[in-house]
């Protein structure tokens, strides 16, 4: 994400820890490229953790309930 933001803001000819340093192109009302990079990176990390936790919870409690819907069970007695 860092290199992609830097590629479109300054090109690949500038080396800087800030992807928007000396930006040649960026939206005037948008947050700074560094803010977008940090928020995007943190959001992706949180998503990965949540998906990993949801997968581990799903493996501990599998949905294997069997419901018997045979005709003799559905007829009233």
């Amino acid at each position: 994400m860092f290199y992609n933001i830097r590629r479109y803001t300054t090109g690949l000819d500038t080396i800087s820890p800030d992807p928007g340093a000396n930006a040649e192109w960026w939206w005037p009302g948008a947050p700074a490229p560094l803010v977008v990079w940090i928020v995007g990176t943190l959001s992706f990390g949180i998503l990965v953790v949540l998906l990993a936790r949801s997968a581990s919870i799903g493996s501990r409690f599998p949905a294997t309930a069997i419901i018997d819907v045979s005709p003799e069970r559905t007829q009233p007695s």
Side-chain angles (χ1 to χ4, degrees):
M1 188 171 178
F2 172 84
Y3 288 107
N4 202 27
I5 290 175
R6 192 179 71 162
R7 175 180 172 207
Y8 289 107
T9 57
T10 63
L12 297 177
D13 56 346
T14 304
I15 296 174
S16 171
D18 180 2
N22 302 322
E24 298 167 6
W25 179 87
W26 193 253
W27 299 287
L34 183 62
V35 172
V36 171
W37 174 53
I38 290 171
V39 169
T41 301
L42 290 175
S43 299
F44 180 75
I46 291 169
L47 175 68
V48 167
V49 168
L50 290 175
L51 288 174
R53 287 184 65 189
S54 122
S56 71
I57 290 171
S59 67
R60 282 188 277 167
F61 302 106
T64 57
I66 299 173
I67 301 171
D68 186 8
V69 292
S70 58
E72 54 273 357
R73 298 285 260 161
T74 56
Q75 300 292 331
S77 318

